[in-house]
Structures are given as structure tokens and as C-alpha cells.
Amino acid sequence: QVQLVESGGGLVQAGGSLRLSCAASGSFFSINDMGWYRQAPGKQRESVAVITSGGSTNYANSVKGRFTISRDNAKNTVYLQMNSLKPEDTAVYYCKLKGRLRSWYNEYEYWGQGTQVTVSS
């Protein structure tokens, strides 16, 4: 059974930093993309940052230069370092990965339960 457990959210003042972690349990044959998404109240969920299995990254324009995504493949863990936080970064942050449990299995998307990030002005 696959479970993604996120940690690191909380309340921070504008200009501060937080580091989110997401660890995936379960035995994967392969993990492809890993990423972070967020959903603010009344808004649609949006992509924040994605990292491929090869280490290529892609960021939303709103977080470029402030957020850094990284991964530890040995630990099946993805991180999001968030610096210079702004009140508009306030949202529930979700991690997601695309992976295959066995070589003959289809690739599936797995989501974490979400962690709240609140940035006060």
C-alpha cells in the first residue's frame, strides 16, 4: 500500500522560510515525476514545482527564484524549500508522484493528504 506523508507546513511571517517534505512508503519499481501542488481557498489546485527522475525541474512563475524542489531517490522523498514567503503563498500544499509498483504495472499518480502553509503579513 502506498502512502505519501507530508510534513513541514505551518505558520510563518512574510519573508520567512519553510521546508516541506513528502516521503512515500511502499515498494516502488520506479518513480517518475514528483511534484508539489497547492490549493488556496476558493481557487483551483495549481502546480507549484515538479522534478523529474532525471532531476529536471519546472516551477510556476509565481515561485521562481524563491522555491526550490529537490528529491532523494534512495528515500523516495521530495522536498520543497520555500524562501521569501508571501501572504499569497498561503494554501494547502500537496505532494504527488507518478510511479510504478511493478515493472508490468501501469504508472499511477499518488497524492499526499496535504499540509497547511499560512503566511502572515
Side-chain angles (χ1 to χ4, degrees):
Q1 180 158 348
V2 175
Q3 193 171 14
L4 273 61
V5 179
E6 296 141 344
S7 61
L11 173 64
V12 65
Q13 287 188 332
S17 299
L18 285 174
R19 187 186 193 221
L20 305 183
S21 299
C22 173
S25 64
S27 180
F28 284 90
F29 171 76
S30 63
I31 295 178
N32 197 350
D33 294 354
M34 303 181 82
W36 289 93
Y37 298 75
R38 68 186 181 187
Q39 187 166 19
K43 294 188 177 181
Q44 288 189 331
R45 190 173 298 189
E46 63 175 355
S47 175
V48 175
V50 176
I51 183 167
T52 69
S53 56
S56 297
T57 58
N58 190 44
Y59 296 92
N61 288 333
S62 59
V63 307
K64 281 182 181 176
R66 300 187 298 121
F67 291 10
T68 302
I69 189 171
S70 60
R71 62 192 282 173
D72 184 334
N73 292 327
K75 296 180 179 180
N76 289 348
T77 300
V78 62
Y79 306 95
L80 186 68
Q81 178 66 44
M82 305 185 294
N83 298 328
S84 302
L85 282 161
K86 304 175 181 180
E88 50 264 43
D89 294 318
T90 296
V92 178
Y93 284 70
Y94 300 89
C95 65
K96 185 187 82 171
L97 69 82
K98 293 182 180 179
R100 198 186 303 269
L101 294 178
R102 298 291 183 270
S103 61
W104 58 92
Y105 283 15
N106 292 330
E107 189 173 75
Y108 286 101
E109 293 184 348
Y110 300 91
W111 287 88
Q113 80 287 355
T115 185
Q116 177 70 46
V117 171
T118 303
V119 184
S120 63
S121 57

